[in-house]
Amino acid sequence: SYVLTQPPSVSEAPGKTARITCGGNNIGSKSVHWYQQKPGQAPVLVIYYDSDRPSGIPERFSGSNSGNTATLTISRVEAGDEADYYCQVWDSSGDHPVFGGGTKLTVL
Amino acid sequence: QITLKESGPTLVKPTQTLTLTCTFSGFSLSTSAVSVGWIRQPPGKALEWLALIYWTDDKRYSPSLRSRLTITKDTSKNQVVLTMTNMDPVDTATYYCAHSPNSGSYFYFDYWGQGTLVTVSS
């Protein structure tokens, strides 16, 4: 089964740039999607197809994917961005979706 | 506008079977490439995908839970039902259903239900 590895936590000061990574074997060959989950709420899709933003998601959210690492970048971090973030790909060998373990973003 | 809502018991006893219903609107599960999945999240832990049903009625299950899960759809009622047998306290979690507009390598969930907390306890 395909494994996605995320750092448990990332911290950044308001106004700075936060980067959350998602590691996987040759993940650059896959399409990576990112979800934001605030406490007590359902996950929300913030990035799909590596770098596309759904309607209503601020341009401050961007994504990239190459080699063995995909990255969610949040520019000009705000207090409201504090949340858990999950990456997700399709495991083609198992023919099912896979989630990473999640990263808690703390805005200092 | 796509919405999904989970319903079912909030408390089940160990060894019982859990039945959850996802009632949705704004799309049809007979539309090409559309699917509905179930995902759970134990308190304080990560998301875990459980099962998926496609517009074709094709189904996928988590390898680790395959023997305990069954997913079905009722297209006329706009519902997807998940059953999980032999419930255990470790199955205590918030259970979500979610919509996907794609299949295969480009699969992602674009709309989620609010989730329903299921506690397993005697």
Side-chain angles (χ1 to χ4, degrees), chain B residues 39-51:
Chain B
I39 305 98
R40 72 178 179 180
Q41 185 174 37
K45 296 189 177 181
L47 301 172
E48 178 185 19
W49 170 76
L50 300 176

Side-chain angles (χ1 to χ4, degrees), chain A:
Chain A
S1 190
Y2 192 81
V3 176
L4 294 173
T5 301
Q6 297 183 237
S9 63
V10 167
S11 300
E12 194 51 83
K16 299 297 187 181
T17 298
R19 294 177 178 85
I20 299 171
T21 58
C22 177
N25 184 32
N26 196 26
I27 195 173
S29 67
K30 297 182 179 295
S31 188
V32 180
H33 320 290
W34 292 91
Y35 304 87
Q36 176 194 68
Q37 186 181 33
K38 296 182 179 180
Q41 298 183 19
V44 171
L45 180 71
V46 293
I47 292 289
Y48 64 104
Y49 297 165
D50 296 342
S51 59
D52 287 352
R53 276 178 290 103
S55 173
I57 301 301
E59 292 183 8
R60 300 185 298 105
F61 287 80
S62 62
S64 62
N65 184 20
S66 178
N68 292 318
T69 305
T71 303
L72 173 68
T73 300
I74 308 171
S75 304
R76 302 181 299 283
V77 167
E78 303 174 355
D81 298 331
E82 195 161 274
D84 294 325
Y85 291 85
Y86 295 90
C87 57
Q88 176 251 308
V89 301
W90 184 262
D91 179 352
S92 52
S93 60
D95 205 22
H96 59 76
V98 175
F99 288 98
T103 297
K104 180 176 181 58
L105 173 64
T106 299
V107 180
L108 301 171

Side-chain angles (χ1 to χ4, degrees), chain B residues 51-72:
Chain B
L52 184 63
I53 189 163
Y54 290 101
W55 81 105
T56 55
D57 205 37
D58 197 9
K59 299 159 189 177
R60 297 289 182 271
Y61 296 103
S62 166
S64 61
L65 294 167
R66 176 186 305 276
S67 63
R68 298 174 54 205
L69 296 173
T70 302
I71 189 169
T72 59

